[in-house]
Amino acid sequence: MTYWYEGPLAAFDTETTGVDVETDRIVSAAVVVQDAPGTRPRVTRWLVNPGVPVPEEATAVHGLTEDHLQRNGRWPAPVMYEIAEQLAEHAAMGRPLVVMNAPFDLTLLDRELSRHRASSLDRWFQSVPLRVLDPRVLDKHLDRYRKGRRTLTDLCEHYDVTLQGAHDAAADALAALDVVRALGRRFATRLERLTPAELHTLQAGWHAAQARGLQAWFARSGSDEIVSTDWPLRPDLPAAA
């Protein structure tokens, strides 16, 4: 029997102008597909001219300058359509989608679709549901008492995954995919009998519990930061009165 972590997977990642899913923009994205462990991945990349200033702090992370994006990036509207179309195609083919910290990247994509296409990510998955595997949620649930940070770089180090060129969308997507395969192997006795559809449902509950724990920690620390319990996509903010 071939378990899901040994079979076909797709992975999605973005680089952005910042960390606010409601206002920041996608400047690059990638989808990586791998049919089995060790096989050559197929990579689709997008470079986007976001039409807004790119802060120096963002450029310092991913290396994409405003000038470079203006010269070489495409307009967002067709890019967002192509990304959503490709994700929907992978879902239709039964490929689970690996997204590290899914509520960030998927919500950003949803807001970009709304901004540039008057659409939403949910519309693309009305007939075939999206099945997401989030290495951050999986790792925090399966190894909850491990100390330390759980960024993609940290997870790669912990699971002996090579990450070449961090903060490049394609490199990060491939690394996240490899981390999910490593998680599957390490926790096979707990995961191999679960389908991606079952895992998708379970992760929503696991993420909510993790978010509530983080919210409680913020409260004890005197922080007023709000942690969303929604996964893998945050709902639209209510319209201003």
Side-chain angles (χ1 to χ4, degrees):
M1 177 184 294
T2 299
Y3 299 112
W4 59 263
Y5 50 84
E6 297 172 335
L9 294 175
F12 172 62
D13 190 74
T14 66
E15 297 300 328
T16 67
T17 60
V19 297
D20 189 328
V21 296
E22 303 297 339
T23 60
D24 280 306
R25 311 297 177 89
I26 294 173
V27 297
S28 71
V31 171
V32 175
V33 181
Q34 188 183 48
D35 294 326
T39 62
R40 182 184 295 274
R42 303 187 296 279
V43 181
T44 305
R45 303 172 184 264
W46 293 269
L47 192 66
V48 186
N49 178 357
V52 299
V54 180
E56 292 181 1
E57 296 84 358
T59 296
V61 172
H62 50 59
L64 298 171
T65 66
E66 186 172 338
D67 179 68
H68 177 75
L69 293 169
Q70 288 177 349
R71 291 175 179 272
N72 301 285
R74 297 170 58 200
W75 288 113
V79 170
M80 302 312 151
Y81 181 93
E82 290 170 14
I83 295 172
E85 182 180 48
Q86 189 164 139
L87 298 186
E89 288 175 354
H90 291 308
M93 293 177 186
R95 294 188 184 110
L97 182 68
V98 175
V99 191
M100 174 72 183
N101 191 17
F104 179 77
D105 293 85
L106 294 183
T107 303
L108 263 169
L109 176 59
D110 177 76
R111 303 310 191 254
E112 289 279 52
L113 286 166
S114 176
R115 184 177 293 122
H116 298 291
R117 305 288 311 189
S119 182
S120 70
L121 193 57
D122 284 338
R123 292 183 188 178
W124 287 88
F125 299 98
Q126 291 175 341
S127 58
V128 180
L130 184 65
R131 303 304 186 194
V132 176
L133 299 171
D134 188 334
R136 185 170 182 267
V137 174
L138 290 169
D139 175 70
K140 289 181 72 174
H141 177 78
L142 295 165
D143 197 0
R144 67 182 67 185
Y145 299 114
R146 189 177 79 248
K147 302 294 185 182
R149 290 156 48 89
R150 300 186 193 234
T151 67
L152 180 59
T153 300
D154 298 318
L155 295 187
C156 286
E157 182 176 352
H158 182 71
Y159 290 101
D160 297 321
V161 168
T162 299
L163 173 55
Q164 295 180 338
H167 301 297
D168 169 83
D172 287 355
L174 179 59
L177 188 153
D178 288 340
V179 166
V180 163
R181 292 201 190 280
L183 272 160
R185 291 189 293 269
R186 183 169 299 188
F187 297 99
T189 57
R190 298 168 65 182
L191 295 177
E192 62 188 14
R193 296 185 182 277
L194 296 169
T195 67
E198 291 169 333
L199 269 174
H200 181 99
T201 300
L202 287 168
Q203 284 172 100
W206 296 343
H207 175 271
Q210 293 162 10
R212 288 191 293 269
L214 182 57
Q215 188 72 75
W217 184 86
F218 279 140
R220 292 193 299 271
S221 303
S223 171
D224 58 0
E225 185 168 348
I226 301 300
V227 183
S228 173
T229 58
D230 294 292
W231 183 96
L233 181 66
R234 298 178 191 172
D236 289 328
L237 291 176

